[in-house]
Amino acid sequence: MHCVYKERKEGESVCAEMRSNQVRLNNGITIPVIGMGTFSMENDRKTTENGVHMALKIGYRHFDTAKIYGSEPALGNALREAIIDGVVEREDIFVTSKLWGSDHNDPVSALKQSLQKLGMEYVDMYLVHWPVKLKPWVCYPVPKEEDFEKVLDMEKTWSGMEKCLEMGLCRSIGVSNFSSTKIEALLDFASVPPAVNQVEMHPMWRQKKLRDFCGDYRIHVSAYSPLGGPGNVWGSTAVVNNPIMQSIALKHRSTPAQVALSWGLSKGASVIVKSFNEDRLKENMGALDLKLDDYDLLEIEKMEEEKIMKGEFLVNSTTSPYKTIQHLWDDEI
């Protein structure tokens, strides 16, 4: 698919063919704009596998996982079964995984382990999960005080990410939870710029500064928690319950979730939304058919902003390199 970019008034570069469910990255490959997230606290393998099979039948082709989610084996098994059964071909699906903080010393080995769990020869996208380095033994999502390394040598980490790319272990590399300040520092030494920055983004955390910055460098913004993370321990129903969202949904005979996803798509982002429920999976995909008008977008701009995933678990006054939330996000919060 040839993708034609056009400049938006906000300075964003948005793919004119985005509604066809693909957007072209700065390295030339395409990413489906609606993805299925596979993180869940329960991490039940059978539930995840069934969810992936349902998603494939509905039309999902973009799947997001990470070492720390523990969902790589279930996702990989479901995708392999689907490929063997002829439901989908490997080149038609887009799989993202992520480098955990304990693996910054050796991204190549970390990705090889992820590939072994997935049962795949490559992933389509490999992201640095957080801009923080943890001790090698930290294989759990919430680090203890003694688990932090005080210095992250991002130049060394990124060199390892580029090595993954050179070796064919992944088709693209990128980052997650990076501020524009941190990306700017990365670009000073990167031979290969990040193709993606995956961050929290939804109508109550609109990320305009970051979107503008990433647009200048053709770094695609991928939105996690595009509905505000309802159902997660740290998540909120504030987005889908907001009266503005509900009013727009009523106007278009859609749902607040579809409005939130359509808003993200209208800003040029891809959206990663987690559900293992068939009706919800269909509802989320239906956002592709919803076109918000200028009035809707202006109404959403009136919503009070609040970041939901603040990353408090990576902040402490003793061992973490980040002493405050503002430090972690470089005051972009």
Side-chain angles (χ1 to χ4, degrees):
M1 182 197 75
H2 179 65
C3 193
V4 181
Y5 284 85
K6 61 180 180 180
E7 290 301 315
R8 305 266 292 189
K9 288 181 181 178
E10 288 188 11
E12 300 160 287
S13 289
V14 178
C15 179
E17 294 183 6
M18 199 146 186
R19 293 287 161 175
S20 67
N21 200 23
Q22 300 274 338
V23 64
R24 194 170 296 277
L25 302 175
N26 61 17
N27 59 5
I29 75 168
T30 57
I31 181 172
V33 295
I34 292 189
M36 177 189 183
T38 61
F39 170 79
S40 70
M41 292 298 293
E42 299 81 14
N43 190 32
D44 180 75
R45 181 163 182 159
K46 200 64 187 172
T47 301
T48 303
E49 289 183 10
N50 289 339
V52 171
H53 282 299
M54 282 189 294
L56 285 167
K57 288 177 183 175
I58 291 166
Y60 286 78
R61 294 296 180 264
H62 179 180
F63 297 90
D64 183 88
T65 184
K67 172 183 175 175
I68 205 64
Y69 298 169
S71 60
E72 288 172 328
L75 173 61
N77 193 50
L79 292 177
R80 285 197 314 277
E81 286 178 354
I83 291 167
I84 290 169
D85 292 344
V87 174
V88 69
E89 296 183 16
R90 173 62 185 95
E91 54 267 31
D92 295 328
I93 55 177
F94 193 101
V95 178
T96 295
S97 195
K98 307 179 189 81
L99 177 83
W100 185 235
S102 58
D103 294 319
H104 279 265
N105 277 332
D106 194 352
V108 170
S109 293
L111 180 48
K112 284 181 175 178
Q113 289 172 19
S114 284
L115 291 173
Q116 188 172 21
K117 290 174 186 174
L118 285 162
M120 292 182 169
E121 294 182 357
Y122 65 91
V123 293
D124 299 273
M125 179 67 64
Y126 197 45
L127 305 177
V128 179
H129 204 153
W130 286 91
V132 64
K133 186 177 180 181
L134 302 170
K135 302 288 187 183
W137 59 77
V138 184
C139 56
Y140 34 86
V142 180
K144 304 180 182 74
E145 197 169 9
E146 64 270 19
D147 291 339
F148 290 87
E149 297 279 11
K150 290 195 173 180
V151 178
L152 167 59
D153 183 351
M154 193 59 205
E155 188 167 0
K156 180 180 177 183
T157 298
W158 196 248
S159 175
M161 297 291 285
E162 291 178 342
K163 186 70 175 174
C164 291
L165 193 62
E166 291 168 16
M167 294 174 67
L169 303 177
C170 57
R171 296 174 69 212
S172 314
I173 52 176
V175 294
S176 178
N177 298 299
F178 272 52
S179 66
S180 51
T181 300
K182 287 182 173 62
I183 294 177
E184 192 167 28
L186 169 60
L187 291 171
D188 283 343
F189 53 76
S191 298
V192 179
V196 161
N197 185 19
Q198 188 185 109
V199 293
E200 178 186 345
M201 177 182 154
H202 47 72
M204 289 183 67
W205 190 246
R206 295 185 284 277
Q207 295 277 23
K208 185 177 187 313
K209 177 182 178 180
L210 185 67
R211 285 189 283 114
D212 286 348
F213 177 85
C214 288
D216 289 342
Y217 292 95
R218 296 192 67 220
I219 298 168
H220 176 70
V221 174
S222 189
Y224 72 73
S225 298
L227 308 180
N232 291 319
V233 173
W234 51 267
S236 169
T237 58
V239 175
V240 292
N241 287 343
N242 188 284
I244 290 176
M245 301 295 289
Q246 295 188 340
S247 174
I248 295 171
L250 190 63
K251 168 185 166 182
H252 289 283
R253 297 181 180 179
S254 61
T255 67
Q258 289 173 334
V259 173
L261 297 177
S262 182
W263 174 85
L265 297 176
S266 78
K267 299 302 179 184
S270 54
V271 291
I272 311 296
V273 60
K274 192 273 292 183
S275 179
F276 299 141
N277 176 281
E278 186 171 7
D279 290 338
R280 290 282 174 83
L281 285 165
K282 289 178 180 177
E283 176 187 343
N284 294 336
M285 190 60 82
L288 287 168
D289 300 321
L290 172 60
K291 174 68 173 168
L292 300 179
D293 58 40
D294 290 343
Y295 178 80
D296 301 327
L297 298 175
L298 286 171
E299 284 295 292
I300 288 172
E301 290 295 321
K302 295 176 183 177
M303 292 168 64
E304 186 175 350
E305 290 204 71
E306 181 182 2
K307 184 163 176 52
I308 296 169
M309 168 58 91
K310 295 183 174 68
E312 296 98 332
F313 62 100
L314 296 176
V315 173
N316 69 56
S317 60
T318 54
T319 58
S320 172
Y322 305 113
K323 307 306 179 190
T324 65
I325 295 290
Q326 287 73 22
H327 189 196
L328 174 61
W329 300 107
D330 299 305
D331 293 316
E332 295 173 24
I333 188 170

